[in-house]
Amino acid sequence: ALLFSQANIFQYASRADFKTHYLDAQAEGSRLQNFFTHDEIRNIDVYWPLKSDGNDRDYMLDRKLSDAIVARIANATQQTFIYANKVGTHFPYHKSYPDPDKNLDKQSHYRAALGWAVDEFLVHLLRGLQHAGKPVRIVYTSDHGQGLGEQGSDSTHCLPYRPASVQASVPLLLFSLNTEPFEQWQPQDGHYSQFQIFPSILQMMGYPTDDVRARYGIDLSRPWPGKRFFYSGDLTGRGQLSKNLFDT
């Protein structure tokens, strides 16, 4: 499969003289998440599965993750690339944030959980990085959207076949702190795709724009051309996989 035969983002970062970190708030011990392999982990300078260090409640692990990112940036002595995997928001949603109101319905719990896992997380992270004073660029997104029964499906996410497109609608946020803004990637009318993230990050690392675009396609300098699509299932090619069009 191409996934395992081509260079990954950590290898590109190392080649560009970045120190690489993978901070995973979902993994514990030797158990890896999101189809990572131990061969890939061996190519990363620093790997930390946060659950292996302490007895924190799951909803506090993202706060711990945020502090770890800030500390690594503040103390960095060379260019640093950090890939951070949050705990985020998962069902049952009332366990994804502190002090839930037991009288809320599912949708209200989900909104409250997002407020904690996204809004509060970003406020805490950006405040810490701003205080650290180092130039930082951040790409924030999610591995999947979440279904709440809007399209007649009981599945929340990750159906391999015919998933509701809401399960593939995710945030895509860019931040520049203590450095020049993303002038070449100003938002324009239209839709964007996660396929545009990889070539954009390579450009941030200093790889030539023309070479990156020729190999990996369109970056975030303009909206996605034509109809957007998404994959569902096992991207490793070892299980069910399907290609789907967005509803809009």
Side-chain angles (χ1 to χ4, degrees):
L2 290 177
L3 180 64
F4 299 111
S5 62
Q6 295 188 354
N8 62 40
I9 193 65
F10 296 102
Q11 292 168 311
Y12 271 110
S14 295
R15 184 68 178 268
D17 294 326
F18 283 74
K19 185 171 184 178
T20 57
H21 299 251
Y22 176 26
L23 310 181
D24 194 339
Q26 295 183 14
E28 185 173 7
S30 61
R31 177 180 60 86
L32 303 178
Q33 289 282 354
N34 301 312
F35 303 112
F36 264 92
T37 69
H38 288 283
D39 285 337
E40 290 174 300
I41 296 298
R42 281 191 284 271
N43 289 321
I44 301 170
D45 294 322
V46 180
Y47 170 60
W48 182 29
L50 273 68
K51 284 188 176 182
S52 299
D53 184 19
N55 298 308
D56 304 90
R57 291 184 179 273
D58 277 2
Y59 61 74
M60 289 303 299
L61 285 170
D62 285 345
R63 181 62 59 91
K64 187 175 183 178
L65 177 66
S66 174
D67 292 339
I69 294 170
V70 172
R72 281 159 171 74
I73 293 297
N75 297 320
T77 58
Q78 68 181 91
Q79 295 182 109
T80 301
F81 173 74
I82 299 176
Y83 183 99
N85 184 34
K86 295 171 54 195
V87 169
T89 299
H90 295 277
F91 187 83
Y93 308 120
H94 68 274
K95 293 186 177 181
S96 293
Y97 67 102
D99 303 320
D101 183 344
K102 296 180 180 180
N103 296 316
L104 298 178
D105 58 19
K106 181 172 69 173
Q107 286 80 1
S108 297
H109 277 302
Y110 182 62
R111 286 193 293 270
L114 285 181
W116 171 258
V118 180
D119 297 352
E120 292 296 328
F121 171 83
L122 288 174
V123 167
H124 188 75
L125 175 64
L126 297 176
R127 183 181 293 132
L129 290 173
Q130 190 72 52
H131 180 72
K134 297 285 187 71
V136 180
R137 285 177 168 174
I138 302 170
V139 179
Y140 182 93
T141 189
S142 177
D143 56 345
H144 59 77
Q146 199 78 352
L148 299 174
E150 301 94 335
Q151 294 174 273
S153 173
D154 293 331
S155 169
T156 59
H157 66 288
C158 292
L159 279 178
Y161 291 117
R162 294 185 295 279
S165 60
V166 67
Q167 296 184 20
S169 295
V170 296
L172 178 54
L173 306 174
L174 306 180
F175 299 92
S176 292
L177 284 81
N178 307 310
T179 187
E180 67 275 6
F182 296 92
E183 292 182 358
Q184 71 273 41
W185 297 326
Q186 292 298 318
Q188 303 174 39
D189 289 339
H191 295 286
Y192 293 80
S193 169
Q194 286 187 330
F195 292 114
Q196 298 170 262
I197 295 176
F198 191 83
S200 298
I201 291 178
L202 292 185
Q203 291 178 52
M204 293 182 211
M205 291 178 177
Y207 287 95
T209 297
D210 290 342
D211 293 347
V212 170
R213 289 176 178 172
R215 185 172 180 83
Y216 294 110
I218 182 174
D219 52 46
L220 291 167
S221 61
R222 59 188 185 277
W224 185 260
K227 293 183 177 180
R228 290 187 308 148
F229 64 90
F230 63 96
Y231 290 110
S232 58
D234 186 350
L235 290 176
T236 66
R238 296 174 294 195
Q240 296 175 323
L241 179 68
S242 60
K243 182 178 179 180
N244 315 273
L245 291 176
F246 278 90
D247 295 336
T248 57

